[in-house]
């Protein structure tokens, strides 16, 4: 678990968490192995670490959730705790800008049309809430290959999206990467790299923003990173 505090005071935290089986997945650039995880509504008990339980509880009561090819804004100035989530990342790309007063999130398939549409819509959201987003930090959530150096799966489109976000917000985004969990446990022919990888509990990318409300407190971001995505598929006999 890693903690990050930016110069704007926004604290960032990388945690392990699970995507529920009903979450919408990105339709572009998913693994071609053809493997299917069983769609059980609950994870096995052995996987329910305290951090996972806490995140699932937060996710279940998110005030807003941004799915594929969507974007939205959540106001943090009213009283009461707020949770703003985005999940179902399986080859797509996302962005978040979070301040003490609000946050905006965009989540897109990796194709020119989706990114161009996202550019127009994110620009409108930023323009409408620019004052409240002032001082916020900006992150891009990008898919990488599970190989040496973790190169971007689609570098040209990632660079296009990063530049787009920079142009809209006026800030260089920080990058958080994620992987397809199947790539960590199966080769290109679909053969397992270890006995009994845990397909039922493998998890894809996701993140959320939490703020206590009132417009004065720092926002907390929780991302699923490469290490924790891989950990979700650890073979049953390794646990």
């Amino acid at each position: 678990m890693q903690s990050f505090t930016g110069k704007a005071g926004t604290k960032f935290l990388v945690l392990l968490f699970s995507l529920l089986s009903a979450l919408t997945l990105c339709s572009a650039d998913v693994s071609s192995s053809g493997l299917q995880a069983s769609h059980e509504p609950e994870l096995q008990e052995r996987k329910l670490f305290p951090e996972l339980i806490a995140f699932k509880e937060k996710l279940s009561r998110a005030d807003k959730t941004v799915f594929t090819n969507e974007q939205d804004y959540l106001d943090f100035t009213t009283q009461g705790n707020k949770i703003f989530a985005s999940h179902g990342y399986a080859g797509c790309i996302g962005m978040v800008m979070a301040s003490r007063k609000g946050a905006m999130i965009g989540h897109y398939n990796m194709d020119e049309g989706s990114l161009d549409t996202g550019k127009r819509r994110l620009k409108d959201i930023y323009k409408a809430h620019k004052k409240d987003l002032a001082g916020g930090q900006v992150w891009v959530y990008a898919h990488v290959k599970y190989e040496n150096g973790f190169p971007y799966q689609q570098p040209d489109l990632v660079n296009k999206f990063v530049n787009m976000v920079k142009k809209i917000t006026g800030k260089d985004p920080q990058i958080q990467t994620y992987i397809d969990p199947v790539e960590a446990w199966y080769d290109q022919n679909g053969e397992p790299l270890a006995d009994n990888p845990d397909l039922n509990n493998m998890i894809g990318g996701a993140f959320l923003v939490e703020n206590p409300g009132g417009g004065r407190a720092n926002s907390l971001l929780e991302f699923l990173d490469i290490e924790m995505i891989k950990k979700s598929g650890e073979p049953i006999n390794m646990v």
Side-chain angles (χ1 to χ4, degrees):
M1 187 180 299
Q2 296 176 310
S3 298
F4 303 93
T5 303
K7 53 187 178 180
T10 305
K11 185 178 180 183
F12 295 88
L13 190 63
V14 179
L15 291 176
L16 164 67
F17 57 83
S18 171
L19 291 182
L20 305 178
S21 61
L23 302 185
T24 302
L25 295 180
C26 302
S27 60
D29 194 32
V30 296
S31 171
S32 59
S33 68
L35 298 169
Q36 296 291 328
S38 64
H39 295 285
E40 298 178 0
E42 296 294 335
L43 295 177
Q44 297 174 19
E45 183 177 359
R46 64 181 179 78
K47 285 291 186 180
L48 295 181
F49 302 115
E51 295 89 352
L52 178 56
I53 294 171
F55 186 85
K56 287 180 66 179
E57 194 275 331
K58 288 181 183 180
L59 190 63
S60 70
R61 56 186 177 84
D63 297 275
K64 283 186 179 180
T65 301
V66 177
F67 296 103
T68 310
N69 288 335
E70 295 180 352
Q71 55 284 307
D72 213 333
Y73 176 84
L74 186 61
D75 179 18
F76 295 156
T77 62
T78 58
Q79 296 300 316
N81 195 68
K82 311 291 191 304
I83 297 174
F84 194 18
S86 186
H87 51 58
Y89 286 83
C92 40
I93 195 164
M95 67 80 63
V96 55
M97 184 173 190
S99 71
R100 296 181 177 187
K101 294 186 176 181
M104 72 175 190
I105 291 175
H107 178 172
Y108 305 103
N109 277 331
M110 289 293 277
D111 61 74
E112 296 281 355
S114 296
L115 298 189
D116 288 343
T117 299
K119 179 180 180 179
R120 295 192 299 271
R121 294 175 178 173
L122 285 175
K123 187 181 296 185
D124 289 343
I125 291 176
Y126 181 75
K127 183 177 180 180
H129 302 284
K130 183 176 181 179
K131 183 178 179 180
D132 285 343
L133 288 168
Q137 289 203 25
V138 184
W139 289 75
V140 164
Y141 195 52
H143 184 209
V144 294
K145 298 178 182 179
Y146 188 73
E147 59 185 53
N148 289 339
F150 299 108
Y152 292 130
Q153 187 72 32
Q154 299 188 66
D156 290 344
L157 290 179
V158 172
N159 290 332
K160 174 178 178 173
F161 188 75
V162 168
N163 290 331
M164 178 186 91
V165 171
K166 179 180 178 180
K167 185 173 182 180
I168 291 171
T169 65
K171 290 177 172 285
D172 285 306
Q174 300 181 72
I175 310 295
Q176 175 65 56
T177 55
Y178 74 94
I179 59 169
D180 177 346
V182 172
E183 293 181 2
W185 296 107
Y186 289 83
D187 65 21
Q188 293 182 345
N189 297 317
E191 294 296 324
L193 299 174
D195 291 336
N196 302 317
D198 191 357
L199 280 172
N200 287 339
N201 290 316
M202 281 184 183
I203 50 184
F207 61 87
L208 62 80
V209 187
E210 185 172 17
N211 188 282
R216 296 184 179 181
N218 295 332
S219 292
L220 173 71
L221 273 77
E222 300 179 22
F223 291 95
L224 182 63
D225 66 1
I226 292 171
E227 180 181 358
M228 293 298 101
I229 291 175
K230 179 181 178 181
K231 183 177 175 65
S232 73
E234 282 185 348
I236 294 170
N237 58 13
M238 289 178 57
V239 180

